[in-house]
Amino acid sequence: MKPLAHWLHFRFVEPFQPDNSHLDVLTGIRGWAALWVFLYHVWSLSGHPDFTLVLAGVPVDFTPLASIGFAGVTIFFVLSGFLLAIPFAEWQSGLRQRPALDRYFLRRVMRVFPAYYAQLAILLLIAAWVPGQTGIDDWGSLFRHLLMLFTPPPLGTVPVNGVWWTLPIEFSFYLVLPLLALLLRPGRWWLLLVGSLATMYLWRHGVVTRMPDASIPQRVVATYQLPGSMDAFGLGMLAAYLYVNRLRLPGWVLPRLNLGRLGLPGLALVLVATYWLPGKRHEYWADNPFFYLWTPALVLGVAAIILAGVGGGRMINRLFTNRFMVYAGLVSYSYYIWHFPVLNWIVATEWFQALESMRFLTLLLVSAPLIFVISTLSYVLVEVPGMRFRRGRNHVRPR
């Protein structure tokens, strides 16, 4: 019995042990990102219900809190920019040796591909045995799936799982980060800021002007490829630079010893961005200032929340270091890649199609526990072994 108990503890308990480092708050923020994307897809697949409530005689519209949930992807990007840039920022500031690139790339591969390949294999098996499920029809598409080439044609292909299109964007950033890290040297931060925003603007401008007749999904995929998402990654890196050099910067740049003060402004800016977009949807995906300003506004809010979290801000830590949010953050990658197919399977059932009301709440309550179970199994059986590879059994937290 002892070997079995030891194995169960090693597999299902140890990966969820509390971590007293600053990573817990970032793990919780990652959970927020995954759950927000999930909420958006529940809202979308349940028919875009309206959530307007009358409070003290005043109608308050809560619909944007669900309808803007796709912004969770941007939160993932900012987090990646921040977390992965910290060792490089420390190196550029003379606080440590240069990170070993072979180890860095191996960790990135083992962080992303094992859970992705496991899901790809499962979805292909389901497609082979269950009628009506989307599969892969040719070797060329399979090859592109194996390489995670979900870029616009002719190079890329349409993924079997609709949320996979963001994965190569994230991985592309992993590949270029060691080069971008040269801009983390003190005195070069403004090049990172200007370069990130200029790259985002030029790429998005090219997409909206050269693809005016493309569908919205096509423009989404094209727009948010790595150059078009550099505002999120770049400002996340800049937040890492500020955090690493916080004691060296003038007081007017950053409150040195009280980063927690940034929490409230950050949350307020995210809330403003959340309610700003719904009233401007007709101006989005067009060559106008709003198209280029909305995500940077959201990113600034997220970066402020991150800095407040690692700076010990009480409010942010209370929001994101509770057990549920940390747990959601730990399994967030598996939750992200599994939630969409599970939601589609539920929506396709005759039982769900027969519902005439309460579709949002029903889909939410039925799918969330199921997805958490699947995500936990994926995390424990696939992600954790991948993260333990060449890292040691006691370091399993995702970064």
Side-chain angles (χ1 to χ4, degrees):
M1 293 297 293
K2 288 186 177 180
L4 176 60
H6 176 75
W7 182 86
L8 291 173
H9 184 276
F10 179 70
R11 285 294 185 187
F12 292 96
V13 177
E14 188 174 298
F16 296 98
Q17 291 293 330
D19 184 349
N20 294 322
S21 74
H22 70 274
L23 290 181
D24 269 351
V25 68
L26 302 183
T27 302
I29 294 173
R30 185 183 291 109
W32 167 38
L35 293 175
W36 207 7
V37 175
F38 162 70
L39 185 66
Y40 165 70
H41 283 134
V42 172
W43 174 80
S44 180
L45 293 172
S46 59
H48 307 88
D50 179 73
F51 299 128
T52 300
L53 301 177
V54 178
L55 302 177
V58 179
V60 180
D61 186 12
F62 292 98
T63 310
L65 299 177
S67 66
I68 307 299
F70 54 82
V73 173
T74 301
I75 297 175
F76 279 129
F77 290 168
V78 181
L79 273 170
S80 291
F82 179 80
L83 267 172
L84 299 181
I86 286 179
F88 291 97
E90 292 173 342
W91 164 52
Q92 288 292 315
S93 298
L95 302 177
R96 60 168 291 170
Q97 294 182 341
R98 178 180 178 178
L101 294 185
D102 56 344
R103 187 176 179 85
Y104 163 78
F105 286 120
L106 177 61
R107 288 183 176 182
R108 293 303 94 208
V109 170
M110 297 306 295
R111 182 71 185 94
V112 174
F113 278 93
Y116 165 71
Y117 280 149
Q119 187 187 44
L120 175 62
I122 293 171
L123 293 182
L124 293 183
L125 287 174
I126 292 174
W129 287 93
V130 180
Q133 297 298 310
T134 303
I136 297 177
D137 299 327
D138 58 82
W139 289 104
S141 180
L142 177 60
F143 178 75
R144 288 176 172 85
H145 274 79
L146 292 175
L147 293 182
M148 206 182 282
L149 291 177
F150 306 126
T151 58
L155 178 64
T157 187
V158 177
V160 170
N161 181 350
V163 300
W164 282 349
W165 70 272
T166 65
L167 302 185
I169 299 173
E170 180 99 9
F171 200 79
S172 298
F173 171 70
Y174 300 162
L175 296 178
V176 302
L177 175 59
L179 294 177
L180 295 175
L182 298 176
L183 300 179
L184 293 171
R185 183 174 300 176
R188 296 181 182 177
W189 64 267
W190 65 273
L191 290 173
L192 177 62
L193 175 62
V194 173
S196 298
L197 295 178
T199 301
M200 175 272 292
Y201 170 78
L202 293 173
W203 181 269
R204 293 187 184 182
H205 177 74
V207 170
V208 297
T209 55
R210 296 185 182 185
M211 300 178 62
D213 299 324
S215 66
I216 294 298
Q218 289 174 327
R219 278 184 280 178
V220 168
V221 174
T223 295
Y224 289 102
Q225 293 301 306
L226 179 61
S229 294
M230 273 308 301
D231 55 335
F233 290 115
L235 293 182
M237 292 178 62
L238 186 60
Y241 169 83
L242 293 174
Y243 178 68
V244 168
N245 294 279
R246 61 193 180 279
L247 299 180
R248 306 179 180 182
L249 299 173
W252 62 269
V253 176
L254 200 66
R256 293 185 181 181
L257 300 179
N258 199 354
L259 293 176
R261 294 178 181 177
L262 297 174
L264 186 58
L267 289 172
L269 191 52
V270 170
L271 189 63
V272 168
T274 299
Y275 277 85
W276 188 19
L277 181 57
K280 294 278 190 176
R281 286 187 187 274
H282 64 285
E283 297 181 19
Y284 211 67
W285 305 116
D287 187 23
N288 64 73
F290 178 72
F291 180 58
Y292 307 109
L293 291 176
W294 185 76
T295 50
L298 175 70
V299 165
L300 284 175
V302 174
I305 291 171
I306 291 173
L307 287 172
V310 297
R314 291 183 179 180
M315 178 176 59
I316 298 302
N317 276 271
R318 286 177 180 175
L319 285 173
F320 298 113
T321 60
N322 59 80
R323 290 185 178 182
F324 174 74
M325 292 305 297
V326 172
Y327 165 64
L330 287 174
V331 302
S332 60
Y333 178 47
S334 288
Y335 199 96
Y336 177 75
I337 63 176
W338 273 109
H339 82 275
F340 196 59
V342 172
L343 286 174
N344 278 292
W345 293 335
I346 295 174
V347 169
T349 62
E350 295 182 2
W351 162 77
F352 185 84
Q353 291 296 319
L355 292 176
E356 297 182 357
S357 62
M358 302 293 288
R359 284 192 165 196
F360 175 85
L361 184 60
T362 302
L363 185 57
L364 182 69
L365 294 178
V366 170
S367 64
L370 178 59
I371 299 170
F372 267 119
V373 170
I374 295 173
S375 302
T376 300
L377 291 174
S378 175
Y379 173 72
V380 170
L381 300 178
V382 182
E383 288 190 65
V384 170
M387 288 185 287
R388 280 182 170 137
F389 187 73
R390 286 192 62 182
R391 294 181 63 178
R393 58 176 290 176
N394 293 322
H395 298 84
V396 299
R397 287 303 177 93
R399 286 193 65 174

